[in-house]
Amino acid sequence: MSLKIEDVKRVGVVGAGTMGSGIAQVVASNGKEVVLLDISDSALDRGMSTIKNSIGRFIKKGEMSEEDSKSILSRIYMTKMFGDLGDVDLVIEAIFENMEVKKETFTKLDASTHPEVILATNTSSLPIVEIAVCTKRADKVVGMHFFNPAPVMKLVEIIKTLTTSDETANFAYDFAKTLGKEPVRTKDAPGFIVNRILIPMLNEAVFSLQDGVGTPEDIDKAMKLGTNQPIGPLALIDLIGLDVTLDIIDVLYKEFQDQKFRAAPLLRQMVRAGWLGRKTGRGFYKY
């Protein structure tokens, strides 16, 4: 029997990093129970700390009460066991961007969840059909790409692969709307909509810095004032993570085989140096 939106009571979120914890918060904030899974206690602890800090900011702004925050947190159950996903109605995977690890994860999800459960991936650029075919339910695998910070950003890209059924894609679209999001539909193409356009622009900002066109401050100021962007491209890379940005541009280059998607050497050097942006305290700026 087909799952209805109103039947979704319990959602599995795999990965307690920045995106996974944000998605878990969004789902729990909309009245659903969440099973938040990661491979270590430390990862789960960091994820819960991220959620509490995020909720604290909403309370400080007067957008959420203490009572509501306690209710949200009470709906999030943390686990390291895939077996604890046995009674979820939907799964959203949000681990790091590594195809082999994602395929291994989806194989485990396929074995751990009811056969009718839809398995969604939050990948920002990887070909989803390659993930889907490692399961026995390729028609029920779909992309649900949230944006950082997930509790604030309204957009969710709904990605339909060659194997995704219309019913699955429509379900994911409608579920995103129940979370208060504004979904858009796109196909399983490298970078989907946003990153196909955004990442080359960010990469070009690094080329501009590398070529001495301007300082990080001037490049960001020019783009903010000249194109009305809320944050400059180099500061945005620091927020996303230089390693994540490099991973996405490398996927675009691999998939399209087009020189316009080649990564700026400076970006690769900074990743090798461990200057990954805000999360390490240094990127194009110091934090």
Side-chain angles (χ1 to χ4, degrees):
M1 187 171 66
S2 299
L3 181 68
K4 295 181 175 61
I5 292 295
E6 56 268 25
D7 294 332
V8 178
K9 309 296 184 186
R10 194 170 173 88
V11 177
V13 177
V14 182
T18 300
M19 290 307 303
S21 60
I23 293 168
Q25 179 183 331
V26 170
V27 175
S29 296
N30 284 274
K32 314 294 185 186
E33 293 185 4
V34 175
V35 180
L36 181 59
L37 183 149
D38 212 308
I39 59 174
S40 70
D41 290 325
S42 60
L44 290 168
D45 289 343
R46 285 193 300 271
M48 185 56 72
S49 178
T50 299
I51 293 170
K52 289 178 179 178
N53 289 338
S54 175
I55 288 175
R57 288 191 288 271
F58 282 106
I59 294 173
K60 191 174 181 179
K61 292 177 183 177
E63 298 174 1
M64 183 185 296
S65 68
E66 289 280 359
E67 185 177 341
D68 286 340
S69 72
K70 291 178 182 177
S71 180
I72 291 167
L73 293 172
S74 72
R75 287 194 286 270
I76 301 174
Y77 168 75
M78 298 188 296
T79 183
K80 295 182 291 182
M81 306 296 292
F82 277 84
D84 288 334
L85 299 174
D87 62 348
V88 301
D89 305 307
L90 169 70
V91 175
I92 303 173
E93 167 273 319
I95 65 173
F96 59 94
E97 294 288 270
N98 179 288
M99 177 57 81
E100 293 310 311
V101 178
K102 283 187 185 290
K103 287 163 70 173
E104 180 183 343
T105 298
F106 270 74
T107 299
K108 291 179 180 177
L109 290 173
D110 196 34
S112 303
T113 58
H114 189 278
E116 293 300 311
V117 169
I118 288 171
L119 306 178
T121 176
N122 183 62
T123 182
S124 57
S125 61
L126 294 175
I128 297 171
V129 71
E130 188 173 340
I131 299 170
V133 296
C134 75
T135 74
K136 297 176 182 176
R137 62 182 93 178
D139 61 317
K140 293 181 173 62
V141 176
V142 65
M144 290 188 71
H145 181 212
F146 292 74
F147 287 77
N148 186 30
V152 176
M153 297 291 278
K154 288 290 186 181
L155 179 64
V156 178
E157 289 179 319
I158 305 300
I159 304 106
K160 185 179 185 297
T161 77
L162 288 174
T163 61
T164 306
S165 69
D166 290 339
E167 184 180 32
T168 296
N170 291 336
F171 178 92
Y173 185 92
D174 291 341
F175 183 72
K177 290 178 71 173
T178 69
L179 299 179
K181 300 304 184 183
E182 295 287 345
V184 297
R185 300 178 190 270
T186 182
K187 68 177 184 178
D188 189 18
F192 316 128
I193 294 174
V194 173
N195 280 332
R196 178 169 177 168
I197 298 168
L198 173 65
I199 296 297
M201 185 201 76
L202 300 183
N203 190 47
E204 194 60 34
V206 184
F207 270 117
S208 297
L209 177 63
Q210 178 181 295
D211 293 344
V213 173
T215 65
E217 292 80 5
D218 283 340
I219 290 170
D220 279 355
K221 181 178 180 181
M223 290 303 293
K224 286 170 65 178
L225 299 180
T227 62
N228 203 30
Q229 296 180 28
I231 184 172
L234 299 176
L236 180 55
I237 296 174
D238 277 355
L239 177 62
I240 296 170
L242 277 74
D243 53 339
V244 175
T245 304
L246 179 60
D247 284 345
I248 298 172
I249 195 71
D250 280 347
V251 168
L252 292 173
Y253 181 77
K254 177 184 176 183
E255 293 293 323
F256 284 114
Q257 293 291 296
D258 190 324
Q259 284 296 310
K260 72 180 180 182
F261 294 113
R262 73 197 187 286
L266 176 60
L267 178 62
R268 199 175 301 279
Q269 289 171 8
M270 292 176 70
V271 170
R272 286 170 176 162
W275 299 354
L276 307 182
R278 292 192 182 192
K279 59 188 173 186
T280 60
R282 181 169 185 174
F284 295 102
Y285 298 93
K286 291 183 179 179
Y287 299 90

Short mmCIF file of all heavy atoms in Angstrom, two decimals, residues 73-127:
data_model
loop_
_atom_site.label_atom_id
_atom_site.label_comp_id
_atom_site.label_asym_id
_atom_site.label_seq_id
_atom_site.Cartn_x
_atom_site.Cartn_y
_atom_site.Cartn_z
N LEU A 73 13.36 18.64 21.09
CA LEU A 73 14.47 17.78 21.50
C LEU A 73 14.00 16.41 21.97
O LEU A 73 14.68 15.40 21.76
CB LEU A 73 15.28 18.48 22.59
CG LEU A 73 16.04 19.73 22.15
CD1 LEU A 73 16.65 20.44 23.36
CD2 LEU A 73 17.14 19.38 21.15
N SER A 74 12.81 16.36 22.57
CA SER A 74 12.28 15.09 23.07
C SER A 74 11.90 14.14 21.93
O SER A 74 11.76 12.93 22.15
CB SER A 74 11.05 15.34 23.96
OG SER A 74 9.93 15.73 23.17
N ARG A 75 11.74 14.70 20.73
CA ARG A 75 11.34 13.87 19.59
C ARG A 75 12.55 13.32 18.81
O ARG A 75 12.37 12.62 17.82
CB ARG A 75 10.44 14.67 18.65
CG ARG A 75 9.04 14.91 19.19
CD ARG A 75 8.09 15.40 18.12
NE ARG A 75 8.32 16.79 17.78
CZ ARG A 75 7.75 17.83 18.37
NH1 ARG A 75 6.90 17.63 19.37
NH2 ARG A 75 8.01 19.06 17.98
N ILE A 76 13.77 13.64 19.26
CA ILE A 76 14.96 13.18 18.56
C ILE A 76 15.64 12.07 19.36
O ILE A 76 16.07 12.27 20.50
CB ILE A 76 15.95 14.35 18.33
CG1 ILE A 76 15.27 15.45 17.51
CG2 ILE A 76 17.20 13.85 17.60
CD1 ILE A 76 16.13 16.71 17.35
N TYR A 77 15.71 10.90 18.75
CA TYR A 77 16.33 9.73 19.37
C TYR A 77 17.63 9.43 18.63
O TYR A 77 17.65 9.33 17.41
CB TYR A 77 15.37 8.54 19.28
CG TYR A 77 15.98 7.21 19.64
CD1 TYR A 77 16.25 6.88 20.96
CD2 TYR A 77 16.30 6.28 18.64
CE1 TYR A 77 16.81 5.65 21.29
CE2 TYR A 77 16.87 5.05 18.96
CZ TYR A 77 17.12 4.74 20.28
OH TYR A 77 17.69 3.53 20.61
N MET A 78 18.72 9.30 19.35
CA MET A 78 20.03 9.08 18.74
C MET A 78 20.42 7.60 18.81
O MET A 78 20.16 6.93 19.81
CB MET A 78 21.10 9.93 19.42
CG MET A 78 20.86 11.43 19.30
SD MET A 78 22.27 12.40 19.91
CE MET A 78 22.28 11.94 21.64
N THR A 79 21.05 7.12 17.74
CA THR A 79 21.46 5.72 17.71
C THR A 79 22.67 5.52 16.79
O THR A 79 22.93 6.33 15.90
CB THR A 79 20.30 4.83 17.22
OG1 THR A 79 20.70 3.46 17.26
CG2 THR A 79 19.92 5.17 15.78
N LYS A 80 23.36 4.41 17.01
CA LYS A 80 24.44 4.00 16.11
C LYS A 80 24.06 2.73 15.36
O LYS A 80 24.87 2.22 14.59
CB LYS A 80 25.73 3.74 16.92
CG LYS A 80 26.30 4.98 17.59
CD LYS A 80 27.60 4.67 18.32
CE LYS A 80 27.35 3.79 19.53
NZ LYS A 80 28.59 3.51 20.29
N MET A 81 22.85 2.25 15.58
CA MET A 81 22.43 0.95 15.05
C MET A 81 21.43 1.11 13.90
O MET A 81 20.37 1.72 14.06
CB MET A 81 21.78 0.13 16.16
CG MET A 81 22.65 -0.02 17.41
SD MET A 81 24.17 -0.94 17.08
CE MET A 81 23.47 -2.54 16.74
N PHE A 82 21.76 0.55 12.74
CA PHE A 82 20.84 0.59 11.60
C PHE A 82 19.54 -0.15 11.92
O PHE A 82 18.48 0.18 11.37
CB PHE A 82 21.50 -0.01 10.36
CG PHE A 82 22.38 0.95 9.61
CD1 PHE A 82 23.70 1.16 10.01
CD2 PHE A 82 21.90 1.65 8.53
CE1 PHE A 82 24.52 2.05 9.34
CE2 PHE A 82 22.72 2.54 7.84
CZ PHE A 82 24.02 2.74 8.25
N GLY A 83 19.61 -1.12 12.81
CA GLY A 83 18.41 -1.87 13.19
C GLY A 83 17.35 -1.01 13.82
O GLY A 83 16.16 -1.35 13.81
N ASP A 84 17.74 0.15 14.38
CA ASP A 84 16.78 1.04 15.01
C ASP A 84 15.95 1.82 13.99
O ASP A 84 15.07 2.60 14.36
CB ASP A 84 17.50 2.03 15.94
CG ASP A 84 18.02 1.34 17.20
OD1 ASP A 84 17.44 0.31 17.59
OD2 ASP A 84 19.00 1.84 17.79
N LEU A 85 16.25 1.62 12.71
CA LEU A 85 15.47 2.27 11.65
C LEU A 85 14.35 1.37 11.15
O LEU A 85 13.66 1.70 10.18
CB LEU A 85 16.38 2.64 10.48
CG LEU A 85 17.51 3.63 10.79
CD1 LEU A 85 18.42 3.79 9.57
CD2 LEU A 85 16.95 4.99 11.20
N GLY A 86 14.15 0.25 11.81
CA GLY A 86 13.17 -0.73 11.35
C GLY A 86 11.74 -0.24 11.32
O GLY A 86 10.92 -0.79 10.57
N ASP A 87 11.40 0.78 12.12
CA ASP A 87 10.01 1.24 12.16
C ASP A 87 9.84 2.66 11.65
O ASP A 87 8.82 3.30 11.91
CB ASP A 87 9.46 1.12 13.59
CG ASP A 87 10.23 2.01 14.58
OD1 ASP A 87 11.31 2.52 14.21
OD2 ASP A 87 9.74 2.17 15.71
N VAL A 88 10.82 3.18 10.91
CA VAL A 88 10.68 4.53 10.37
C VAL A 88 9.83 4.50 9.10
O VAL A 88 9.71 3.46 8.43
CB VAL A 88 12.05 5.20 10.07
CG1 VAL A 88 12.88 5.28 11.34
CG2 VAL A 88 12.80 4.47 8.97
N ASP A 89 9.24 5.63 8.75
CA ASP A 89 8.37 5.74 7.58
C ASP A 89 9.08 6.36 6.39
O ASP A 89 8.57 6.33 5.26
CB ASP A 89 7.14 6.59 7.93
CG ASP A 89 6.40 6.03 9.14
OD1 ASP A 89 6.05 4.84 9.11
OD2 ASP A 89 6.17 6.78 10.11
N LEU A 90 10.24 6.95 6.63
CA LEU A 90 11.01 7.63 5.59
C LEU A 90 12.44 7.77 6.10
O LEU A 90 12.66 7.93 7.30
CB LEU A 90 10.43 9.03 5.32
CG LEU A 90 11.23 10.01 4.45
CD1 LEU A 90 11.23 9.54 2.99
CD2 LEU A 90 10.64 11.41 4.54
N VAL A 91 13.42 7.71 5.21
CA VAL A 91 14.81 7.92 5.58
C VAL A 91 15.40 9.03 4.72
O VAL A 91 15.18 9.08 3.50
CB VAL A 91 15.67 6.64 5.40
CG1 VAL A 91 17.15 6.94 5.68
CG2 VAL A 91 15.18 5.53 6.31
N ILE A 92 16.13 9.94 5.37
CA ILE A 92 16.89 10.97 4.66
C ILE A 92 18.35 10.80 5.04
O ILE A 92 18.72 10.95 6.20
CB ILE A 92 16.41 12.39 5.00
CG1 ILE A 92 14.92 12.54 4.70
CG2 ILE A 92 17.21 13.43 4.21
CD1 ILE A 92 14.32 13.86 5.17
N GLU A 93 19.18 10.47 4.07
CA GLU A 93 20.63 10.27 4.31
C GLU A 93 21.37 11.58 4.07
O GLU A 93 21.13 12.27 3.08
CB GLU A 93 21.15 9.17 3.37
CG GLU A 93 22.66 9.07 3.28
CD GLU A 93 23.25 10.00 2.22
OE1 GLU A 93 22.65 10.11 1.12
OE2 GLU A 93 24.29 10.61 2.49
N ALA A 94 22.27 11.91 5.00
CA ALA A 94 23.01 13.16 4.89
C ALA A 94 24.45 12.98 5.37
O ALA A 94 24.97 13.78 6.16
CB ALA A 94 22.32 14.27 5.69
N ILE A 95 25.10 11.91 4.91
CA ILE A 95 26.51 11.71 5.26
C ILE A 95 27.39 12.46 4.27
O ILE A 95 26.90 13.09 3.34
CB ILE A 95 26.86 10.21 5.30
CG1 ILE A 95 26.73 9.58 3.91
CG2 ILE A 95 25.98 9.47 6.32
CD1 ILE A 95 27.23 8.14 3.84
N PHE A 96 28.70 12.37 4.45
CA PHE A 96 29.61 13.14 3.60
C PHE A 96 29.62 12.61 2.17
O PHE A 96 29.19 11.49 1.89
CB PHE A 96 31.03 13.16 4.19
CG PHE A 96 31.64 11.81 4.39
CD1 PHE A 96 32.46 11.24 3.42
CD2 PHE A 96 31.42 11.09 5.56
CE1 PHE A 96 33.03 10.00 3.60
CE2 PHE A 96 31.98 9.83 5.75
CZ PHE A 96 32.79 9.29 4.77
N GLU A 97 30.14 13.45 1.26
CA GLU A 97 30.05 13.19 -0.18
C GLU A 97 31.11 12.20 -0.66
O GLU A 97 32.13 12.59 -1.24
CB GLU A 97 30.16 14.51 -0.96
CG GLU A 97 29.01 15.46 -0.74
CD GLU A 97 27.72 15.00 -1.43
OE1 GLU A 97 27.50 15.36 -2.59
OE2 GLU A 97 26.95 14.26 -0.78
N ASN A 98 30.85 10.94 -0.42
CA ASN A 98 31.73 9.87 -0.91
C ASN A 98 30.85 8.77 -1.46
O ASN A 98 30.06 8.16 -0.72
CB ASN A 98 32.62 9.35 0.22
CG ASN A 98 33.54 8.23 -0.23
OD1 ASN A 98 33.09 7.11 -0.48
ND2 ASN A 98 34.83 8.51 -0.32
N MET A 99 30.96 8.52 -2.76
CA MET A 99 30.04 7.60 -3.42
C MET A 99 30.09 6.20 -2.82
O MET A 99 29.05 5.59 -2.57
CB MET A 99 30.34 7.54 -4.92
CG MET A 99 29.48 6.54 -5.68
SD MET A 99 27.69 6.84 -5.51
CE MET A 99 27.49 8.14 -6.72
N GLU A 100 31.28 5.67 -2.58
CA GLU A 100 31.37 4.30 -2.07
C GLU A 100 30.74 4.17 -0.69
O GLU A 100 30.07 3.17 -0.38
CB GLU A 100 32.83 3.84 -2.05
CG GLU A 100 33.44 3.69 -3.43
CD GLU A 100 32.57 2.86 -4.38
OE1 GLU A 100 32.14 1.75 -3.98
OE2 GLU A 100 32.31 3.32 -5.51
N VAL A 101 30.94 5.19 0.16
CA VAL A 101 30.36 5.16 1.51
C VAL A 101 28.84 5.28 1.43
O VAL A 101 28.10 4.63 2.17
CB VAL A 101 30.96 6.26 2.40
CG1 VAL A 101 30.31 6.24 3.77
CG2 VAL A 101 32.47 6.07 2.54
N LYS A 102 28.37 6.14 0.52
CA LYS A 102 26.92 6.28 0.36
C LYS A 102 26.29 4.98 -0.13
O LYS A 102 25.23 4.57 0.36
CB LYS A 102 26.60 7.43 -0.60
CG LYS A 102 26.75 8.82 0.02
CD LYS A 102 26.25 9.90 -0.91
CE LYS A 102 26.49 11.30 -0.37
NZ LYS A 102 25.64 11.64 0.79
N LYS A 103 26.92 4.32 -1.08
CA LYS A 103 26.39 3.06 -1.60
C LYS A 103 26.35 1.99 -0.50
O LYS A 103 25.38 1.25 -0.37
CB LYS A 103 27.21 2.60 -2.80
CG LYS A 103 26.97 3.43 -4.05
CD LYS A 103 28.04 3.28 -5.09
CE LYS A 103 28.06 1.95 -5.75
NZ LYS A 103 29.03 1.92 -6.89
N GLU A 104 27.40 1.95 0.29
CA GLU A 104 27.43 1.01 1.42
C GLU A 104 26.31 1.33 2.41
O GLU A 104 25.64 0.41 2.93
CB GLU A 104 28.79 1.10 2.12
CG GLU A 104 28.95 0.17 3.30
CD GLU A 104 30.29 0.35 4.01
OE1 GLU A 104 31.22 0.94 3.41
OE2 GLU A 104 30.40 -0.10 5.17
N THR A 105 26.10 2.62 2.66
CA THR A 105 25.05 3.05 3.58
C THR A 105 23.67 2.66 3.06
O THR A 105 22.82 2.16 3.82
CB THR A 105 25.13 4.57 3.80
OG1 THR A 105 26.39 4.90 4.40
CG2 THR A 105 24.01 5.06 4.71
N PHE A 106 23.43 2.87 1.77
CA PHE A 106 22.12 2.55 1.20
C PHE A 106 21.87 1.05 1.15
O PHE A 106 20.72 0.60 1.26
CB PHE A 106 21.95 3.20 -0.17
CG PHE A 106 21.35 4.58 -0.08
CD1 PHE A 106 22.10 5.65 0.38
CD2 PHE A 106 20.03 4.79 -0.41
CE1 PHE A 106 21.55 6.91 0.48
CE2 PHE A 106 19.45 6.05 -0.30
CZ PHE A 106 20.21 7.12 0.14
N THR A 107 22.92 0.27 0.99
CA THR A 107 22.77 -1.18 1.06
C THR A 107 22.29 -1.59 2.45
O THR A 107 21.40 -2.44 2.60
CB THR A 107 24.10 -1.88 0.73
OG1 THR A 107 24.51 -1.53 -0.59
CG2 THR A 107 23.97 -3.39 0.82
N LYS A 108 22.85 -0.95 3.48
CA LYS A 108 22.44 -1.22 4.86
C LYS A 108 21.01 -0.74 5.10
O LYS A 108 20.21 -1.41 5.77
CB LYS A 108 23.40 -0.55 5.84
CG LYS A 108 24.78 -1.17 5.87
CD LYS A 108 25.68 -0.43 6.86
CE LYS A 108 27.08 -1.04 6.91
NZ LYS A 108 27.97 -0.28 7.83
N LEU A 109 20.68 0.44 4.56
CA LEU A 109 19.32 0.98 4.72
C LEU A 109 18.29 0.07 4.05
O LEU A 109 17.20 -0.14 4.57
CB LEU A 109 19.24 2.40 4.14
CG LEU A 109 19.99 3.49 4.89
CD1 LEU A 109 19.95 4.79 4.09
CD2 LEU A 109 19.40 3.70 6.28
N ASP A 110 18.67 -0.45 2.90
CA ASP A 110 17.78 -1.34 2.16
C ASP A 110 17.46 -2.58 2.98
O ASP A 110 16.33 -3.08 2.96
CB ASP A 110 18.46 -1.72 0.84
CG ASP A 110 17.50 -2.31 -0.18
OD1 ASP A 110 16.32 -1.88 -0.21
OD2 ASP A 110 17.91 -3.19 -0.94
N ALA A 111 18.44 -3.06 3.71
CA ALA A 111 18.26 -4.27 4.52
C ALA A 111 17.59 -3.99 5.87
O ALA A 111 17.03 -4.91 6.48
CB ALA A 111 19.62 -4.94 4.76
N SER A 112 17.65 -2.74 6.33
CA SER A 112 17.21 -2.42 7.69
C SER A 112 15.80 -1.84 7.76
O SER A 112 15.21 -1.79 8.84
CB SER A 112 18.17 -1.41 8.33
OG SER A 112 19.49 -1.89 8.34
N THR A 113 15.26 -1.39 6.63
CA THR A 113 13.96 -0.72 6.63
C THR A 113 12.92 -1.54 5.87
O THR A 113 13.25 -2.42 5.07
CB THR A 113 14.07 0.67 5.98
OG1 THR A 113 14.57 0.53 4.64
CG2 THR A 113 15.01 1.56 6.77
N HIS A 114 11.67 -1.23 6.12
CA HIS A 114 10.56 -1.89 5.41
C HIS A 114 10.70 -1.63 3.92
O HIS A 114 11.07 -0.52 3.50
CB HIS A 114 9.22 -1.35 5.93
CG HIS A 114 8.04 -2.10 5.44
ND1 HIS A 114 7.47 -1.87 4.20
CD2 HIS A 114 7.32 -3.10 6.01
CE1 HIS A 114 6.44 -2.69 4.03
NE2 HIS A 114 6.33 -3.44 5.12
N PRO A 115 10.39 -2.62 3.08
CA PRO A 115 10.59 -2.48 1.63
C PRO A 115 9.84 -1.31 0.98
O PRO A 115 10.23 -0.85 -0.09
CB PRO A 115 10.07 -3.82 1.08
CG PRO A 115 10.21 -4.78 2.20
CD PRO A 115 9.96 -3.98 3.43
N GLU A 116 8.77 -0.84 1.63
CA GLU A 116 7.98 0.25 1.06
C GLU A 116 8.51 1.63 1.44
O GLU A 116 8.03 2.65 0.93
CB GLU A 116 6.52 0.13 1.50
CG GLU A 116 5.81 -1.07 0.92
CD GLU A 116 5.79 -1.04 -0.61
OE1 GLU A 116 5.44 0.00 -1.18
OE2 GLU A 116 6.14 -2.08 -1.22
N VAL A 117 9.49 1.68 2.35
CA VAL A 117 10.02 2.96 2.82
C VAL A 117 10.83 3.64 1.73
O VAL A 117 11.68 3.02 1.09
CB VAL A 117 10.88 2.75 4.09
CG1 VAL A 117 11.65 4.02 4.45
CG2 VAL A 117 9.99 2.32 5.25
N ILE A 118 10.59 4.93 1.54
CA ILE A 118 11.34 5.73 0.58
C ILE A 118 12.68 6.11 1.20
O ILE A 118 12.75 6.52 2.37
CB ILE A 118 10.55 6.98 0.18
CG1 ILE A 118 9.37 6.58 -0.73
CG2 ILE A 118 11.44 8.01 -0.53
CD1 ILE A 118 8.40 7.69 -1.01
N LEU A 119 13.75 5.98 0.42
CA LEU A 119 15.10 6.33 0.87
C LEU A 119 15.55 7.56 0.09
O LEU A 119 15.71 7.51 -1.13
CB LEU A 119 16.06 5.17 0.62
CG LEU A 119 15.66 3.81 1.21
CD1 LEU A 119 16.71 2.75 0.84
CD2 LEU A 119 15.49 3.89 2.72
N ALA A 120 15.75 8.66 0.79
CA ALA A 120 16.15 9.92 0.16
C ALA A 120 17.61 10.23 0.49
O ALA A 120 18.08 9.91 1.58
CB ALA A 120 15.26 11.07 0.62
N THR A 121 18.30 10.84 -0.46
CA THR A 121 19.67 11.27 -0.21
C THR A 121 19.77 12.78 -0.32
O THR A 121 19.13 13.40 -1.18
CB THR A 121 20.67 10.62 -1.19
OG1 THR A 121 21.98 11.16 -0.95
CG2 THR A 121 20.29 10.85 -2.64
N ASN A 122 20.56 13.36 0.55
CA ASN A 122 20.79 14.80 0.57
C ASN A 122 22.04 15.17 -0.23
O ASN A 122 22.55 16.28 -0.11
CB ASN A 122 20.93 15.28 2.02
CG ASN A 122 21.10 16.79 2.13
OD1 ASN A 122 20.23 17.54 1.73
ND2 ASN A 122 22.24 17.23 2.65
N THR A 123 22.55 14.26 -1.06
CA THR A 123 23.76 14.57 -1.81
C THR A 123 23.63 15.88 -2.58
O THR A 123 22.56 16.21 -3.09
CB THR A 123 24.12 13.43 -2.80
OG1 THR A 123 25.33 13.76 -3.46
CG2 THR A 123 23.02 13.22 -3.83
N SER A 124 24.73 16.61 -2.64
CA SER A 124 24.72 17.91 -3.31
C SER A 124 25.17 17.83 -4.76
O SER A 124 25.02 18.80 -5.51
CB SER A 124 25.63 18.89 -2.55
OG SER A 124 26.95 18.37 -2.46
N SER A 125 25.71 16.67 -5.18
CA SER A 125 26.23 16.63 -6.55
C SER A 125 26.40 15.23 -7.13
O SER A 125 26.51 15.08 -8.34
CB SER A 125 27.58 17.35 -6.61
OG SER A 125 28.53 16.72 -5.76
N LEU A 126 26.45 14.20 -6.29
CA LEU A 126 26.74 12.85 -6.79
C LEU A 126 25.56 12.28 -7.59
O LEU A 126 24.40 12.60 -7.30
CB LEU A 126 27.06 11.91 -5.63
CG LEU A 126 28.35 12.21 -4.85
CD1 LEU A 126 28.47 11.28 -3.65
CD2 LEU A 126 29.57 12.09 -5.74
N PRO A 127 25.84 11.44 -8.60
CA PRO A 127 24.76 10.83 -9.38
C PRO A 127 23.93 9.88 -8.53
O PRO A 127 24.42 8.84 -8.08
CB PRO A 127 25.50 10.10 -10.50
CG PRO A 127 26.90 9.95 -10.03
CD PRO A 127 27.17 11.08 -9.12
#
